[in-house]
Amino acid sequence: KEKKRSPIPVETIREIQNACLEIDDDLRWLVALISDTGMRLSEAAGLAIEDICLDHEVPHINLRPHPWRRLKTQQSERQVPLVGAALWAAERLVAEGEGQWCFPRYINTEGCNGNSASAALNKWLKVNFNSEALVHGFRHSFRDRLRAVNCPTEIIDQLGGWSANNVGGRYGAGFD
């Protein structure tokens, strides 16, 4: 039986984000980045520094496939707005980054090791926060947080890189 992946409560997300600000290292930048973007862990772990666009009206990540990391679906290629803890993490990555990759401990020319990142981050979350808090829970929480402010489903799907569930959702260029 597949275990249900639970969203992380907003209060717990805030605690985790505050801990990320205090510890201020690459693992916490990765957690902070996914906490306010809804990105999949492997999407974030496989980022290149050049994917981060801070000098735009809306700072964002150009999420696209790379030779070392493919994307799950065609809809996964998208622009991801940076706000809150994710914006802080992106600024830290650009300021402190060395080389082409944001998280070189998880990437080499052969690929991106999302499983290793997941194990390390889930261990940190479990020990320090809530035994139910898993990295993928940020993605579930992201969707719930957008629902809570009555964000249209089509925008939620585009932000999270989820496939459109209907034919009409696949028409047009989407939201800018």
Side-chain angles (χ1 to χ4, degrees):
K1 182 180 170 187
E2 188 176 313
K3 187 178 180 190
K4 185 179 184 306
R5 293 179 175 160
S6 300
I8 301 170
V10 174
E11 313 77 57
T12 305
I13 291 173
R14 298 290 172 246
E15 287 176 39
I16 293 167
Q17 290 173 333
N18 287 333
C20 290
L21 293 169
E22 287 177 30
I23 298 170
D24 194 15
D25 66 5
D26 66 322
L27 285 177
R28 270 32 74 167
W29 302 339
L30 183 52
V31 171
L33 193 61
I34 63 173
S35 73
D36 275 340
T37 61
M39 283 194 294
R40 295 172 181 94
L41 180 59
S42 60
E43 290 174 340
L47 287 173
I49 297 287
E50 70 181 15
D51 295 334
I52 300 173
C53 304
L54 296 175
D55 57 348
H56 287 75
E57 183 180 343
V58 176
H60 63 277
I61 289 172
N62 279 325
L63 193 53
R64 57 192 172 184
H66 287 295
W68 58 86
R69 191 250 303 118
R70 65 176 184 78
L71 297 177
K72 187 172 181 177
T73 67
Q74 186 177 352
Q75 290 78 16
S76 297
E77 188 168 346
R78 62 198 188 276
Q79 289 186 331
V80 180
L82 291 167
V83 298
L87 178 58
W88 167 81
E91 290 168 343
R92 298 295 292 133
L93 285 162
V94 169
E96 300 292 326
E98 296 176 14
Q100 75 180 101
W101 298 313
C102 290
F103 302 100
R105 74 164 77 197
Y106 297 119
I107 305 171
N108 60 39
T109 53
E110 312 292 302
C112 175
N113 192 344
N115 290 339
S116 180
S118 179
L121 297 177
N122 282 333
K123 180 179 178 184
W124 179 71
L125 291 170
K126 184 172 232 161
V127 167
N128 293 285
F129 299 97
N130 179 332
S131 61
E132 299 299 311
L134 297 173
V135 170
H136 195 75
F138 287 113
R139 197 159 155 75
H140 288 262
S141 298
F142 179 75
R143 191 166 187 102
D144 284 350
R145 289 161 67 194
L146 290 170
R147 278 186 192 120
V149 295
N150 298 312
C151 183
T153 302
E154 280 189 63
I155 294 177
I156 295 173
D157 288 342
Q158 185 169 330
L159 288 170
W162 285 287
S163 298
N165 292 330
N166 58 53
V167 174
R170 293 187 290 268
Y171 275 59
F175 299 92
D176 61 13

